[in-house]
Amino acid sequence: MIDLRNLIYIELYKLFSSTRTYVTFFIAIALMLIINLGMLMEGEKIFEFLLESISEYFIVDGEILNGYLVTYLAMNTLWVHIPVLIVIIAASIFAVEFEIGTIRLLLTQPISRGRLLQAKVLAMVVYNCVFMLLTVLAALIPAYLLFGTGDLVVFLDGVQFIQEETFLKRLVLSLIFATISMIAFSSLGMIFSLFFKNTLTSILLSMGVLILSTLLQKFVFGLFSAWQPFLFSYHFSKWQLFFMDVIPYHSILESAGFMLGMILILYLISYFKFKKMNITQ
Amino acid sequence: MQMLRVEELSLHYGGQRVLNNVSFSFEQGRITGLLGPNGAGKSSIFKVLAGLVRPDSGVVSKNGERLDDISDLRKSCSYMIDSPAFYPYLSGRQNLQLICKILGREKDLEKLMRLVGLDPFSKKRVKNYSTGMKQRLAIAQTMIHDVDLLLLDEPFNGLDPNGFQDLIALLRQLNEEGMTVVVSSHLLNELEQFADAFILLHDGSIALDISKQDLLKLKKKVSFVFDSTPPEDALKLISNFGSFEKGIQTAILNLEPHEIATTVERLVGLGAVPVNVETQNLLESKYLEITADLLD
């Protein structure tokens, strides 16, 4: 049977030959640059306002508004903006093949469906990694150039003070965790893509899940609190925990495990669905 | 020798029976035409053999060896499914390069594109290709794989007359080199010219499975047009072999090929000189006869 490496190469070739891939990169980079520009123009005023509430308890010495803070703030686009862009690609990974009919071109070659699925999943993982890296660099580099470095002050379960020297390590760990989260979210997009064979439907369903999950996460009282551990957004929001004074690795690893489990389950469902699917059109 | 044997193949989609326990075979080294009206099940057969669709039942054997998984046939068979699709944002050549990469094969793509008449358009994106150009590209992609069996579903769709003749010439050439070819088409006249055997499908069943040699032995439908009603003796002769349509002054007779010339002579001898003699294509007349019977 056909070499998996050849199939991965082909999937990556198709992915990076497609205009929409570069559109998502462009939008993500533009978003980061806009955030940097916004902070450059209005950042001082925003922080003066925010710091008013703690000024009676703390004497602030040094520059709070620095490149590391802007990078951290830019990463908050992980809540909605980044998943929206990523799912555009994930939701089309199968759907487009059905929509334009090339699924028949692929499956009439002597390749197993399992191998093809593996290749698409791995290509999607590569895309996520490239996307996340580009996005973070697009946030960090201009932020560093415009605002320099400094200690990080974060409002997260109180006020967290992160030393400048530890920021980059925390950023890398946070990036790895966020990438795993986005791969999990992409897996959802991909499985919708396989079931519905329509890009728009798959994108809308994925966004629906994200919106619902984020909304339900706000309901932390009574019966709703029992749902929390099963919500995607509950787990993926833990990228922020790398910016706590003491990083709660146990909680983060639990959520990483949830994400990886989600990826595995969605992969297995996709595998069995695709294996049995009749390609009639 | 039977290259491919299919036994008791059944398939249904969404409650509708598409293939009804059909059995047939493709002889090695032959060009077989797969015929039938729309919805007969031709494309479904190709889809089953390509592994795109799982049949409800059926056994497929290649060169006498039973295949445990029908989709294993893809290792030794190339397919062209109807309405072929390619990646629109890639050129024709790039699409073929993808297939080469999948198969792990090196192929002279320029030569291949030239063979199917696409060399001037090899760098053009497929989204700018016409239907006929996509058909040609699909044919090219079937020739990347090193196989001994070619299954082509409606390969003549969208081809202009030149393209059509070129494809027939190409298929004949491949067949002469040892390739077994199976072609489905609605173009009965043309198929009759170059295929060696015919399988006619109707409503999910095999209505006719015949070699060209046997087809040629069958009676033809011959129409004799007269400018006036023939004499009585001629009408009696006509009634032995068929019927006379008075309104259009035409006799339609079922004659074996060797009887046509002698029948013309006899009619002329009896004072009925036909102004026109037309022979209906064998395959077409058989097709119409069978499908009309089955509709009845």
Side-chain angles (χ1 to χ4, degrees):
Chain A
M1 271 296 191
I2 305 300
D3 194 342
L4 180 62
R5 284 174 299 183
N6 284 356
L7 289 178
I8 294 168
Y9 170 86
I10 284 157
E11 290 303 317
L12 287 172
Y13 181 83
K14 287 189 295 185
L15 200 58
F16 288 95
S17 298
S18 170
T19 310
R20 73 177 74 184
T21 302
Y22 297 98
V23 170
T24 61
F25 289 160
F26 174 76
I27 294 173
I29 292 168
L31 204 56
M32 297 302 126
L33 293 177
I34 288 167
I35 290 170
N36 272 277
L37 198 62
M39 292 308 288
L40 184 66
M41 290 162 66
E42 302 292 333
E44 293 280 358
K45 287 182 207 164
I46 294 170
F47 277 91
E48 268 172 31
F49 175 73
L50 287 173
L51 289 173
E52 260 183 58
S53 58
I54 63 165
S55 58
E56 66 180 276
Y57 305 104
F58 296 95
I59 297 167
V60 177
D61 183 29
E63 195 56 62
I64 284 193
L65 179 59
N66 58 56
Y68 290 163
L69 178 64
V70 173
T71 305
Y72 172 81
L73 290 173
M75 283 189 73
N76 277 272
T77 53
L78 274 168
W79 286 100
V80 175
H81 307 80
I82 301 299
V84 165
L85 291 173
I86 279 179
V87 90
I88 288 169
I89 300 302
S92 66
I93 211 155
F94 267 107
V96 156
E97 304 273 17
F98 284 100
E99 284 164 350
I100 63 177
T102 46
I103 191 71
R104 297 181 305 163
L105 176 66
L106 291 176
L107 293 181
T108 49
Q109 310 306 323
I111 56 178
S112 77
R113 294 189 186 196
R115 279 272 163 107
L116 181 60
L117 177 66
Q118 280 173 17
K120 284 190 176 292
V121 167
L122 289 169
M124 191 182 66
V125 168
V126 169
Y127 166 78
N128 273 276
C129 293
V130 170
F131 182 94
M132 291 301 294
L133 186 63
L134 268 178
T135 303
V136 167
L137 288 175
L140 180 66
I141 293 171
Y144 172 76
L145 293 171
L146 291 171
F147 303 101
T149 62
D151 292 341
L152 180 63
V153 178
V154 170
F155 294 96
L156 183 67
D157 197 21
V159 182
Q160 308 289 332
F161 296 93
I162 308 298
Q163 287 183 316
E164 182 181 340
E165 303 79 40
T166 65
F167 177 80
L168 286 176
K169 178 189 158 189
R170 291 168 184 264
L171 182 67
V172 168
L173 291 172
S174 173
L175 174 62
I176 293 170
F177 182 87
T179 304
I180 294 171
S181 309
M182 289 302 104
I183 292 170
F185 187 61
S186 296
S187 302
L188 190 66
M190 194 186 75
I191 203 173
F192 285 141
S193 178
L194 190 58
F195 271 80
F196 296 98
K197 306 186 190 91
N198 181 279
T199 306
L200 185 58
T201 305
S202 308
I203 292 172
L204 289 172
L205 282 169
S206 305
M207 289 317 302
V209 168
L210 181 67
I211 290 165
L212 209 60
S213 176
T214 311
L215 190 66
L216 287 171
Q217 201 192 337
K218 304 299 176 198
F219 295 101
V220 291
F221 45 86
L223 286 172
F224 297 110
S225 61
W227 292 345
Q228 297 292 310
F230 300 102
L231 297 175
F232 170 74
S233 53
Y234 168 82
H235 294 283
F236 104 85
S237 64
K238 291 195 182 172
W239 64 269
Q240 295 177 301
L241 301 184
F242 286 98
F243 299 99
M244 292 194 74
D245 187 28
V246 177
I247 301 173
Y249 284 109
H250 180 73
S251 175
I252 290 169
L253 283 170
E254 258 183 16
S255 289
F258 176 91
M259 298 291 181
L260 291 170
M262 183 176 157
I263 292 167
L264 182 64
I265 289 169
L266 292 174
Y267 173 78
L268 288 172
I269 295 171
S270 301
Y271 176 81
F272 288 112
K273 171 70 180 171
F274 191 42
K275 276 289 248 189
K276 292 196 178 313
M277 190 182 269
N278 281 333
I279 316 293
T280 54
Q281 293 300 328
Chain B
M1 181 192 151
Q2 287 177 352
M3 154 115 357
L4 194 74
R5 171 106 195 117
V6 176
E7 289 168 283
E8 296 174 7
L9 189 67
S10 288
L11 175 72
H12 79 282
Y13 295 146
Q16 192 180 355
R17 177 72 69 180
V18 175
L19 293 172
N20 190 15
N21 221 33
V22 297
S23 298
F24 55 89
S25 61
F26 302 133
E27 294 292 319
Q28 188 170 4
R30 269 191 181 179
I31 299 177
T32 303
L34 197 59
L35 322 163
N38 291 337
K42 306 186 297 297
S43 292
S44 300
I45 285 177
F46 281 106
K47 284 173 186 162
V48 167
L49 295 177
L52 295 175
V53 167
R54 287 183 199 290
D56 302 326
S57 63
V59 174
V60 175
S61 307
K62 178 117 193 297
N63 294 325
E65 278 183 42
R66 182 180 164 152
L67 297 174
D68 292 326
D69 186 349
I70 295 174
S71 61
D72 285 344
L73 189 60
R74 294 174 302 166
K75 292 177 197 168
S76 57
C77 182
S78 253
Y79 304 86
M80 179 186 154
I81 303 294
D82 72 326
S83 307
F86 294 94
Y87 296 97
Y89 50 86
L90 299 178
S91 69
R93 193 192 158 90
Q94 285 171 325
N95 271 278
L96 294 184
Q97 276 172 335
L98 276 189
I99 303 299
C100 286
K101 193 76 185 174
I102 288 175
L103 298 171
R105 292 185 62 80
E106 296 286 333
K107 199 83 183 178
D108 185 346
L109 295 178
E110 283 306 320
K111 186 181 169 187
L112 201 53
M113 296 289 274
R114 210 176 308 124
L115 199 61
V116 297
L118 281 178
D119 45 315
F121 313 105
S122 65
K123 290 183 182 159
K124 205 172 166 188
R125 287 188 186 184
V126 168
K127 67 180 180 186
N128 297 317
Y129 275 22
S130 65
T131 307
M133 288 162 79
K134 285 181 196 168
Q135 292 284 118
R136 289 169 189 251
L137 190 62
I139 291 155
Q141 73 85 17
T142 62
M143 293 191 281
I144 292 172
H145 200 177
D146 213 1
V147 297
D148 54 9
L149 175 61
L150 206 55
L151 298 178
L152 308 173
D153 192 4
E154 305 281 357
F156 303 114
N157 283 356
L159 291 181
D160 57 30
N162 284 335
F164 180 84
Q165 292 302 330
D166 289 344
L167 178 56
I168 290 186
L170 181 60
L171 293 177
R172 280 200 175 118
Q173 184 193 328
L174 290 170
N175 181 242
E176 279 161 20
E177 289 168 7
M179 184 80 79
T180 302
V181 180
V182 179
V183 174
S184 85
S185 181
H186 294 112
L187 303 172
L188 301 175
N189 289 342
E190 287 76 6
L191 210 54
E192 188 176 339
Q193 282 170 39
F194 79 98
D196 306 310
F198 309 94
I199 297 172
L200 173 59
L201 274 166
H202 186 73
D203 210 18
S205 299
I206 305 280
L208 179 71
D209 186 348
I210 194 168
S211 68
K212 191 168 186 173
Q213 287 162 316
D214 291 340
L215 185 70
L216 287 171
K217 291 175 192 165
L218 297 177
K219 290 187 177 180
K220 289 190 178 206
K221 238 183 192 65
V222 188
S223 23
F224 297 82
V225 181
F226 302 94
D227 56 6
S228 60
T229 306
E232 206 55 46
D233 289 341
L235 285 174
K236 273 186 192 163
L237 177 64
I238 287 166
S239 66
N240 289 339
F241 297 99
S243 60
F244 182 74
E245 308 272 342
K246 200 167 180 181
I248 49 172
Q249 305 289 26
T250 301
I252 298 173
L253 308 184
N254 293 320
L255 298 169
E256 295 195 15
H258 68 270
E259 289 173 331
I260 298 172
T262 51
T263 305
V264 171
E265 277 176 26
R266 287 172 72 184
L267 283 169
V268 170
L270 291 169
V273 180
V275 296
N276 192 25
V277 179
E278 261 182 38
T279 308
Q280 191 174 41
N281 172 271
L282 266 173
L283 198 56
E284 188 178 350
S285 62
K286 204 69 195 159
Y287 178 106
L288 292 170
E289 185 190 310
I290 287 171
T291 52
D293 283 349
L294 288 167
L295 278 171
D296 291 339

